[in-house]
Amino acid sequence: MVAALGMKVRSEKISHKIISKSGHYLERMGLFRLWGIESGMHIKAHEESGKFIPLTIVRTEKELSELLENIIPIFHLSEYPEQADTMRYIIDEVTRNVIEHAGLDTNALVCVQYYPRSKKIRIGIADTGLGLRATLSRHHHISSHLHAIQQALWPGITGTTSKPGGSEQNAGAGLFFTKSMARVNKDYFFIYSGDAMFKLLEPKENDRLSIPVDPFADRHTKEEGLPFWKGTAVGIDITLEQTLQFRVLLNALNDVMKEATRERRRKMERRKPRFI
Amino acid sequence: MMIIKMRDIVGTFASNKDIAKEIRTQTLIPLLEKEGEELIIDFEGVDGATQSFIHALISEPMRRVGTSKFFEKVTFKTCNEKIQAIIIIVGDYMQAGLE
């Protein structure tokens, strides 16, 4: 989010003072390069392939394809190459949302880090575009930024139509799939837009494994009235050891998606009598 | 019978929705609207696909010609389990929305 914010500012207006020991990490992830400024640090750059993807701007389909190509080596180095499907899927869906919905001249900013000791992959995707509320309000009644987050995570709700089943180009399922994959795998998932945020919490041990249609039925925290973020930011951690096979995940999502669409159609078909 | 070889068009991962739109508008819909025409969509060599891609490819044709006619005329070939699962998801929720 900091990186995306800095991109809105002219390089000469940015000043910095590094007080943290992890300052070299910001340099290696390409933060200062992205802002067009010198960090003043000189570090020996290690080969990034297989360990991380530095802050990367994605504006086009071609740039997204290149990013996805670079993700694959991370999994070949880990003991879990079969989890590449889940990761590739999540990055593709969330980043594509930005390219399609965030508005003209908006970039998605993506970075990925692999932590071999904890066998975790952390992904951050941020933009400074229209934000969820403005995007969804085109076709839905959205009362707040938090309501926009809830609707964005609801299967079948898209900013391109109010029809059940979505438009010819969008189903409104990308963020739902992503959040559900995190839910089933007990992974971290966080989304921030406008003045609101939603964070998925790890289910309690005796919780039944389920994929609710309403994201607020998941174990979560949410907050409103936060510092305003013009755009959307998503954070996901994937713990490779506990990640279910991608195909198993898809099978689990099928019934939920089908029922959500059916329910949406029923609601739209219900007409109230008109009295004059 | 026409065959669309997806590997030649999308590479090994089918996610580009602009390409899905191109196939849908230029090949799939015109062909489905002709009487007696059938189509095979061949995923040989394609390792994965996103739900968004498959939705962009088949949802509108399903709406236009109806789901039963769509599945009568279109056959999916050499899909791995993951791609099959995604096609089933999109097919199922589209039918749920249209039935």
Side-chain angles (χ1 to χ4, degrees):
Chain A
M1 287 170 88
V2 171
L5 201 60
M7 284 175 66
K8 304 286 270 186
V9 182
R10 286 210 309 268
S11 301
E12 59 272 23
K13 298 266 186 193
I14 300 176
S15 63
H16 69 280
K17 185 179 173 189
I18 298 163
I19 52 170
S20 159
K21 278 182 190 167
S22 56
H24 65 278
Y25 181 71
L26 303 179
E27 166 70 26
R28 190 64 190 96
M29 289 304 272
L31 180 71
F32 304 104
R33 175 183 47 79
L34 190 80
W35 288 347
I37 62 171
E38 284 291 326
S39 69
M41 281 183 282
H42 299 286
I43 58 166
K44 191 182 168 195
H46 295 287
E47 174 59 41
E48 68 194 47
S49 179
K51 294 174 194 129
F52 68 97
I53 304 285
L55 287 158
T56 304
I57 299 170
V58 181
R59 286 162 293 220
T60 61
E61 285 284 351
K62 188 170 174 286
E63 287 173 347
L64 178 55
S65 299
E66 284 166 7
L67 174 78
L68 294 172
E69 287 293 313
N70 292 334
I71 300 288
I72 305 302
I74 291 180
F75 293 92
H76 289 308
L77 281 189
S78 78
E79 298 160 48
Y80 307 91
E82 72 279 6
Q83 306 302 3
D85 290 329
T86 309
M87 183 66 60
R88 186 165 59 170
Y89 194 94
I90 287 173
I91 293 176
D92 186 280
E93 289 283 23
V94 179
T95 311
R96 194 175 297 283
N97 263 349
V98 178
I99 298 173
E100 289 181 2
H101 303 303
L104 285 175
D105 301 324
T106 303
N107 312 317
L109 199 54
V110 183
C111 65
V112 179
Q113 175 72 56
Y114 173 46
Y115 297 88
R117 204 172 295 170
S118 56
K119 297 187 170 58
K120 249 185 218 303
I121 291 185
R122 289 204 165 136
I123 308 165
I125 300 168
D127 72 73
T128 50
L130 297 171
L132 297 173
R133 186 177 185 177
T135 308
L136 291 173
S137 292
R138 292 171 185 151
H139 291 280
H140 305 275
H141 172 68
I142 302 292
S143 58
S144 67
H145 291 286
L146 188 61
H147 185 214
I149 288 177
Q150 182 189 28
Q151 294 296 290
L153 296 172
W154 199 291
I157 305 282
T158 162
T160 57
T161 185
S162 56
K163 275 192 291 188
S167 67
E168 66 270 28
Q169 202 68 357
N170 289 283
L175 278 173
F176 165 70
F177 270 47
T178 302
K179 188 269 298 174
S180 301
M181 285 175 180
R183 166 70 179 85
V184 171
N185 289 321
K186 300 179 184 172
D187 282 326
Y188 173 84
F189 175 86
F190 162 90
I191 184 163
Y192 193 129
S193 188
D195 72 348
M197 75 92 190
F198 167 92
K199 188 166 77 173
L200 201 60
L201 295 176
E202 196 174 310
K204 288 182 178 160
E205 242 173 54
N206 51 357
D207 275 0
R208 201 170 59 87
L209 177 67
S210 63
I211 304 173
V213 169
D214 180 357
F216 290 176
D218 278 313
R219 199 163 167 263
H220 70 282
T221 55
K222 53 182 182 287
E223 229 173 302
E224 288 181 281
L226 296 168
F228 192 82
W229 179 261
K230 190 181 173 301
T232 308
V234 176
I236 308 144
D237 283 2
I238 304 269
T239 309
L240 295 170
E241 273 184 318
Q242 65 192 26
T243 299
L244 277 185
Q245 289 284 337
F246 186 65
R247 190 181 47 77
V248 179
L249 276 171
L250 290 175
N251 289 341
L253 289 170
N254 188 14
D255 287 343
V256 187
M257 192 67 199
K258 205 164 45 185
E259 192 42 44
T261 311
R262 199 171 278 139
E263 179 55 29
R264 190 154 171 69
R265 188 173 57 82
R266 270 187 227 122
K267 271 188 187 163
M268 290 193 76
E269 279 173 358
R270 274 177 225 139
R271 294 280 184 267
K272 287 190 177 149
R274 286 192 302 162
F275 301 102
I276 53 170
Chain B
M1 166 117 35
M2 187 178 185
I3 300 174
I4 301 177
K5 296 258 185 201
M6 295 301 281
R7 173 71 172 84
D8 299 342
I9 310 170
V10 300
T12 57
F13 186 59
S15 67
N16 187 331
K17 287 159 72 180
D18 293 341
I19 295 177
K21 183 182 177 183
E22 213 175 291
I23 302 170
R24 180 184 81 225
T25 55
Q26 292 179 12
T27 311
L28 202 45
I29 291 176
L31 200 105
L32 289 172
E33 287 179 342
K34 280 185 195 163
E35 273 307 312
E37 287 284 354
E38 287 186 21
L39 174 73
I40 291 176
I41 303 178
D42 187 350
F43 280 88
E44 186 177 10
V46 182
D47 176 50
T50 61
Q51 168 271 331
S52 298
F53 177 88
I54 299 295
H55 178 93
L57 184 71
I58 68 172
S59 68
E60 184 59 16
M62 285 175 79
R63 263 201 197 104
R64 288 246 193 143
V65 300
T67 51
S68 54
K69 195 171 172 191
F70 177 85
F71 286 118
E72 265 169 37
K73 293 183 126 196
V74 178
T75 309
F76 298 94
K77 191 182 170 197
T78 342
C79 300
N80 65 26
E81 285 184 324
K82 296 169 288 183
I83 296 174
Q84 271 187 34
I86 288 171
I87 293 170
I88 290 169
I89 290 175
V90 177
D92 279 1
Y93 74 69
M94 282 309 296
Q95 289 184 79
L98 294 169
E99 71 196 15

